[in-house]
Amino acid sequence: MDEKGALTEAVYYILLALISPLHGYGIMQRVKAMSHGRVILGAGTLYGAINSLLAKGLIDPFPSDDARRKEYALTPLGLAALKGEV
């Protein structure tokens, strides 16, 4: 989110992708599919945004059976931010 509370396009798509829990690569693929290839997230952009979203309490780590892949899920605050943008 910027200082006014509006979501950037990348953050909006990341939150939208996390309607159901996903790992980083899954988020990248879902964002690409949802935007019909218009938004393609690089790893640096994605993981920078994930760190920011974690710090702001918009997403949380999600328990996963696969220790190699960290999954993330929306928090109630993240869902509210997404709904506010829609």
Side-chain angles (χ1 to χ4, degrees):
M1 289 193 296
D2 68 17
E3 59 279 350
K4 296 178 182 133
L7 301 178
T8 65
E9 185 175 39
V11 168
Y12 170 77
Y13 274 109
I14 291 167
L15 292 177
L16 190 58
L18 289 173
I19 288 293
S20 58
L22 268 179
H23 52 82
Y25 184 72
I27 295 169
M28 292 168 72
Q29 295 302 307
R30 190 173 286 169
V31 166
K32 184 178 178 182
M34 286 187 305
S35 69
H36 304 286
R38 195 175 60 78
V39 178
I40 298 174
L41 298 172
T45 300
L46 175 65
Y47 289 104
I50 284 174
N51 288 332
S52 177
L53 294 169
L54 286 166
K56 292 176 182 177
L58 298 177
I59 65 173
D60 275 333
F62 187 80
S64 172
D65 294 336
D66 186 350
R68 295 172 297 148
R69 291 185 177 188
K70 290 183 182 179
E71 290 193 353
Y72 304 93
L74 283 178
T75 63
L77 184 61
L79 183 59
L82 182 59
K83 286 181 177 178
E85 193 70 18
V86 172

